[in-house]
Amino acid sequence: MNKKNLTETDIRTKFITPAICGPKGAGWDLMTQVREEAYFTKGRVIVRGKTVQRGEAKKADYLLYYKPNLPIAVVEAKDNNHAVGAGMQQALEYAEILDVPFAYSSNGDAFLEHDRTATGGTVTREIPLDRFPSPEELWSRYCKAKGLTPKQVEVATQNYYDDGSQKSPRYYQLVAINRTVEAIAKGVNRILLVMATGTGKTYTAFQIIWRLWKAGTKKRILFLVDRNILADQTKTNDFKPFGKAMTKITNRTVDKAFEVYLCLYQAVTGTEEDRNIYKQFSPDFFDLVVVDECHRGSAADDAAWRQVLEYFSSATQIGLTATPKETKEVSNIEYFGEPIYTYSLRQGIADGFLAPYKVIRIGLDKDLDGWRPEEGQTDKYGELIEDREYNDRDFDRNLVLEKRTELVAEKITEFLKATNRFDKTIVFCENIDHAERMRQALVNANPDLAAANNKYVMRITGDNHEGKAQLDNFIDPEEPYPVIACTSRLMSTGVDAQTCHLIVLDRRINSMTEFKQIIGRGTRINEDYGKFFFTIMDFRRATALFADPAFDGDPVQVYEPGPNDPPVPPEDQPATPPNETDPPLAPWPGVGEDDDPDPPKRYVVNDVPVSVAVQRVQYLDEHGKLITESLDDYTRRTVRKQFASLDDFLNTWTRAGRKHAVVEELAKQGVFFDELAEQAGAGFDPFDLVCHVAFDRPPLTRRERADNVKKRDLFGKYEGKARAVLDALLDKYADSGLASMESLEILKVDPLRTFGTPIEIVNLFGGKPAYLAAVHELETAIYQ
């Protein structure tokens, strides 16, 4: 057997797999310790116009586990025409992402090993094919490098919870769990985990707590959350396996017979009398305190429930947050230390676990230019309006322009009518009064649906019991109503709105922490309901925070419509328009949901016209900078990044065994040929779209190319049915494009199947190689 003639798959099957887990191999259990072609990301969701597709997911050729959910090594394979270490760079990249200590590369002759735990001596070495390390050897080397004692190893290797459903943590959750459990086993008592909204912080916390609880290291646990709905969801969902060992502290009563306690921040940070509830426990009662959304106050020295953490200071404490707060006054890091692991919004979007988003910026003339009343002008209630310049800082706080509210509601409605009027939508307003006026304006803008169901638009704010009672229904994908929720601060955190498609910002946001939390309401993907991305409609220039270095996510598009433009980007428009009971928490001490402890006097003006003033389309490039470009511009830039010139593209196209593979590769980079074809007109295939858009060459339609081939009598050397088959393939190309012609499946459909079975048709040319050669010749002629 000549190894040089074998594919990479053959090399893996015949040489690498037997060396790792064969009868004479290193002793790895193929069923429980080895995953082949282990996908660990989902592939970024790429959005262009109306088209959504996933990019390429990352996968390791082999992922080796010491125990379930304890990965320890990654192996990358190459065919034998490559050197032994040809896959090492990729193996090291994956090992770093997956946080595994050992990386290997092999071409079937030997293994190249890279020990990421080595701080001196031999880091990289080549080992014979029959000397691959056993699980015990690698684990022993890892423990020695980390300085783990036998007792610490016992905790670090405690099993995960497994309900038999085969659900396992995502790779980043594994990293967070394993790092945290190992750190606690080694005696670390203050830990900060930073995980973007929508990445499963609660599930991650459950697995950490479960493993420590089962190991007997932490016997009594306090889990603090900031919303009643979160406490209930946690108890009935992720934490359900704790069963009767778990309780939720309610009615300010304490029962010390349990082991796992769920508690609201409010239950321990009320009045001076209420705060003493936690003192019913002895300071050393809890072994572990986990603080969800710890940016909400635990890091502030004067925050009431910082006292709770200090009271239980002997306990190990874990802070969970999507937005670590770092200011002169407040610091998570000062209290918890540097994050033990960070999984950012940018990473979540890049991996395909979080939804990307578009941004529609609408600048209103009064917001941009300001407004000053005429001398002696009164508002609708006869109040004399203070004579000064009013700007967007004042609107809906000191001054209400009713026409402005109506215009915002109109633009929201236009967008929903052009996309889907039942897409869940959250409108963030300046305060409770603004939220109520926005609700009324949206009802008036949607009289048909509001009349059909009075829950179509609802105000969900801290003071409104009817609205808060509908919060569960709003976030439930199965419940159609409410559709539009007008709020102020209540829904800015802790609301898991999986199917939220539209977030409207009609309030000033100066806090990066708050901005990230609000954006996080839409970042969850729900494929069952077709939720792959969401849209942010910004009326207050809040999305200027994208340019802040502290922001770590990329909008896929920023669109600013002009006065007469629709609120939906042109390429998005379809051909046919298709029991929270707790008071809201302040995002920082002393500020309530209304954002005005002592609200200023408001003037209400109903006769000042307001209009849209801004028109611009922007995208964030790969460096996170806003640039102005159309879909054509984006395509041109992406293609020219891969192909330096037209000749470079033509050479690649000509040499390609499967020309559609070139199309697929460009599609992975975000080039959407369907959208381009829709703009250019029907009948152009990807080759001409690339030549036209990227290199300014006039395009030919598929039918024109097919007719040109027929004029050249390419099929003269073929006779009878073989010639008729090529004629039929050419017609198929003209009708449906390149992909169909390159697939043998095309031989099973009319009119091709009238010539016989696929095998019979291939034999008309003298066998499969000759048939494929004829197709390749046909392709060459098409693109000549």
Side-chain angles (χ1 to χ4, degrees):
M1 182 186 300
N2 185 350
K3 281 186 179 180
K4 302 296 182 186
N5 295 332
L6 298 179
T7 65
E8 179 185 306
T9 301
D10 287 331
I11 292 295
R12 283 166 40 193
T13 301
K14 299 178 186 302
F15 298 98
I16 299 177
T17 301
I20 295 173
C21 52
K24 297 181 180 179
W28 295 81
D29 188 312
L30 182 62
M31 297 301 294
T32 62
Q33 293 183 302
V34 179
R35 284 183 60 200
E36 295 187 60
E37 294 193 346
Y39 284 91
F40 56 90
T41 72
K42 296 201 71 173
R44 183 185 186 119
V45 175
I46 305 171
V47 183
R48 288 290 176 270
K50 292 177 292 182
T51 306
V52 178
Q53 69 180 44
R54 283 196 180 271
E56 192 171 9
K58 288 185 172 68
K59 76 174 188 306
D61 288 337
Y62 295 85
L63 195 52
L64 308 183
Y65 295 80
Y66 176 66
K67 289 185 67 175
N69 291 313
L70 286 177
I72 194 171
V74 61
V75 183
E76 285 301 306
K78 297 293 180 184
D79 64 43
N80 201 249
N81 293 298
H82 290 81
V84 172
M88 182 52 73
Q89 290 283 79
Q90 190 173 29
L92 284 172
E93 177 191 347
Y94 291 169
E96 183 174 354
I97 294 172
L98 298 169
D99 202 33
V100 299
F102 301 101
Y104 295 90
S105 172
S106 179
N107 65 350
D109 287 339
F111 289 98
L112 183 68
E113 177 189 79
H114 185 105
D115 185 347
R116 298 181 66 236
T117 67
T119 56
T122 302
V123 176
T124 299
R125 62 172 181 150
E126 185 173 309
I127 54 180
L129 198 65
D130 60 353
R131 299 288 179 85
F132 191 82
S134 68
E136 291 73 22
E137 179 185 341
L138 288 189
W139 183 251
S140 176
R141 287 163 58 186
Y142 174 78
C143 292
K144 182 178 179 181
K146 289 288 187 177
L148 294 172
T149 67
K151 181 63 177 176
Q152 292 168 351
V153 167
E154 185 179 336
V155 176
T157 58
Q158 176 63 43
N159 290 333
Y160 281 70
Y161 174 77
D162 182 359
D163 63 0
S165 67
Q166 297 186 329
K167 176 184 177 180
S168 60
R170 294 170 174 170
Y171 85 85
Y172 61 85
Q173 294 170 337
L174 275 183
V175 176
I177 296 163
N178 291 337
R179 283 192 184 183
T180 302
V181 170
E182 184 177 304
I184 291 174
K186 296 175 72 172
V188 179
N189 284 319
R190 297 291 182 271
I191 292 173
L192 179 63
L193 273 176
V194 179
M195 297 174 65
T197 299
T199 56
K201 291 193 298 294
T202 307
Y203 174 72
T204 301
F206 161 71
Q207 289 287 8
I208 291 170
I209 295 169
W210 178 269
R211 290 177 62 190
L212 296 170
W213 184 61
K214 280 295 185 180
T217 302
K218 305 298 177 186
K219 298 179 181 179
R220 288 181 176 140
I221 298 101
L222 174 63
F223 187 71
L224 288 169
V225 298
D226 71 339
R227 287 283 188 268
N228 191 52
I229 189 173
L230 288 182
D232 292 337
Q233 288 176 347
T234 299
K235 185 177 181 182
T236 58
N237 296 327
D238 289 325
F239 279 41
K240 185 178 181 180
F242 287 120
K244 295 182 179 179
M246 171 179 57
T247 187
K248 175 186 171 186
I249 299 177
T250 57
N251 301 322
R252 307 218 176 259
T253 59
V254 170
D255 184 339
K256 299 178 184 178
F258 294 90
E259 296 176 72
V260 179
Y261 292 79
L262 305 179
C263 184
L264 298 181
Y265 298 165
Q266 294 93 323
V268 290
T269 59
T271 65
E272 190 66 37
E273 180 181 355
D274 291 334
R275 289 177 190 170
N276 291 329
I277 182 174
Y278 65 86
K279 293 185 178 178
Q280 296 180 44
F281 297 100
S282 64
D284 60 355
F285 184 84
F286 292 111
D287 305 306
L288 175 66
V289 178
V290 180
V291 188
D292 192 23
E293 304 292 359
C294 68
H295 64 279
R296 293 294 296 269
S298 61
D301 287 337
D302 60 349
W305 57 275
R306 169 76 172 258
Q307 299 170 23
V308 180
L309 298 184
E310 291 172 347
Y311 182 77
F312 297 118
S313 60
S314 63
T316 298
Q317 296 176 2
I318 302 173
L320 305 173
T321 183
T323 51
K325 183 175 288 189
E326 291 302 313
T327 68
K328 290 181 180 179
E329 296 79 25
V330 179
S331 173
N332 289 110
I333 291 175
E334 177 273 328
Y335 185 82
F336 289 104
E338 293 287 342
I340 196 170
Y341 182 63
T342 297
Y343 189 72
S344 68
L345 175 63
R346 183 188 301 275
Q347 289 170 287
I349 293 174
D351 288 343
F353 295 119
L354 295 181
Y357 46 92
K358 299 181 179 183
V359 176
I360 299 174
R361 286 182 178 167
I362 300 179
L364 305 181
D365 60 347
K366 298 301 184 289
D367 291 11
L368 301 177
D369 302 332
W371 178 77
R372 184 175 180 178
E374 297 177 1
E375 184 177 353
Q377 184 172 351
T378 59
D379 73 356
K380 68 181 291 187
Y381 300 113
E383 292 284 343
L384 180 65
I385 304 172
E386 180 186 353
D387 183 16
R388 67 177 179 86
E389 184 79 21
Y390 293 87
N391 55 38
D392 61 349
R393 292 176 179 270
D394 299 297
F395 297 143
D396 300 299
R397 298 172 67 82
N398 308 90
L399 177 71
V400 173
L401 297 179
E402 291 190 340
K403 298 292 186 184
R404 185 191 179 285
T405 307
E406 291 169 7
L407 181 58
V408 170
E410 177 187 322
K411 289 300 176 184
I412 295 170
T413 302
E414 280 183 29
F415 179 86
L416 291 174
K417 284 182 176 179
T419 52
N420 183 349
R421 296 183 75 186
F422 286 89
D423 278 346
K424 294 294 179 79
T425 299
I426 305 176
V427 185
F428 286 96
C429 302
E430 281 287 353
N431 45 53
I432 291 174
D433 173 72
H434 184 201
E436 173 56 27
R437 287 186 291 101
M438 185 61 69
R439 184 196 68 79
Q440 296 171 24
L442 283 165
V443 166
N444 290 334
N446 297 272
D448 54 340
L449 296 184
N453 191 307
N454 62 9
K455 294 184 177 65
Y456 180 73
V457 186
M458 293 202 73
R459 170 165 63 94
I460 302 179
T461 51
D463 70 324
N464 184 267
H465 297 295
E466 293 79 13
K468 286 191 297 181
Q470 291 298 319
L471 184 56
D472 281 355
N473 290 332
F474 178 80
I475 65 180
D476 186 347
E478 298 284 347
E479 293 291 337
Y481 297 99
V483 175
I484 304 175
C486 299
T487 189
S488 175
R489 294 188 184 275
L490 181 64
M491 299 174 69
S492 64
T493 185
V495 175
D496 184 6
Q498 295 180 24
T499 55
C500 177
H501 282 80
L502 178 63
I503 290 176
V504 180
L505 303 178
D506 195 25
R507 52 176 286 213
R508 289 175 55 82
I509 301 172
N510 295 316
S511 161
M512 178 59 70
T513 295
E514 187 180 12
F515 181 61
K516 285 185 176 182
Q517 289 291 335
I518 287 174
I519 298 306
R521 297 316 100 211
T523 55
R524 287 165 176 81
I525 290 174
N526 191 317
E527 298 189 23
D528 293 340
Y529 291 86
K531 161 69 183 301
F532 290 93
F533 70 96
F534 67 105
T535 301
I536 302 167
M537 183 177 283
D538 180 14
F539 291 91
R540 302 275 183 153
R541 290 172 289 175
T543 52
L545 288 169
F546 288 144
D548 192 306
F551 193 78
D552 60 6
D554 297 341
V556 295
Q557 178 188 21
V558 179
Y559 169 61
E560 296 186 357
N564 300 315
D565 293 330
V568 182
E571 59 265 33
D572 287 8
Q573 295 172 34
T576 304
N579 194 358
E580 174 67 73
T581 58
D582 306 299
L585 279 183
W588 51 82
V591 182
E593 189 196 0
D594 209 15
D595 202 15
D596 279 318
D598 184 19
K601 181 178 182 61
R602 291 190 183 112
Y603 303 105
V604 181
V605 180
N606 63 351
D607 56 357
V608 173
V610 180
S611 62
V612 174
V614 177
Q615 177 179 3
R616 190 168 66 217
V617 178
Q618 292 181 299
Y619 296 79
L620 275 187
D621 66 10
E622 63 272 24
H623 305 297
K625 295 181 179 179
L626 283 173
I627 56 174
T628 302
E629 66 177 0
S630 64
L631 188 61
D632 284 0
D633 293 332
Y634 178 87
T635 302
R636 183 180 300 110
R637 186 167 58 87
T638 303
V639 170
R640 288 187 173 182
K641 188 187 301 181
Q642 189 156 341
F643 303 104
S645 66
L646 176 61
D647 286 342
D648 188 13
F649 171 69
L650 293 177
N651 288 335
T652 301
W653 186 267
T654 302
R655 291 195 305 267
R658 276 185 65 248
K659 297 188 180 352
H660 195 64
V662 179
V663 177
E664 291 169 343
E665 184 58 36
L666 287 172
K668 290 176 184 176
Q669 306 303 316
V671 177
F672 286 90
F673 292 102
D674 290 343
E675 296 294 328
L676 290 170
E678 188 172 313
Q679 289 187 12
F684 296 107
D685 85 350
F687 174 84
D688 281 282
L689 290 172
V690 168
C691 291
H692 176 61
V693 173
F695 302 108
D696 300 317
R697 293 296 188 270
L700 294 176
T701 65
R702 293 192 301 270
R703 177 56 64 185
E704 288 171 332
R705 288 193 174 277
D707 289 343
N708 287 340
V709 172
K710 290 179 180 179
K711 291 174 185 176
R712 294 197 293 271
D713 193 26
L714 173 72
F715 309 141
K717 64 180 179 181
Y718 297 99
E719 297 180 354
K721 284 187 176 181
R723 179 166 183 159
V725 166
L726 292 176
D727 270 321
L729 285 173
L730 194 56
D731 287 334
K732 278 294 183 184
Y733 162 78
D735 291 338
S736 53
L738 181 67
S740 62
M741 191 175 70
E742 288 193 332
S743 170
L744 289 175
E745 293 296 311
I746 197 67
L747 302 180
K748 298 179 182 179
V749 301
D750 289 331
L752 277 304
R753 66 178 179 177
T754 62
F755 299 108
T757 66
I759 294 177
E760 290 172 339
I761 293 173
V762 165
N763 287 337
L764 291 174
F765 295 83
K768 185 177 179 180
Y771 168 77
L772 294 177
V775 172
H776 185 73
E777 184 181 3
L778 177 58
E779 288 180 336
T780 301
I782 287 173
Y783 298 107
Q784 187 172 336

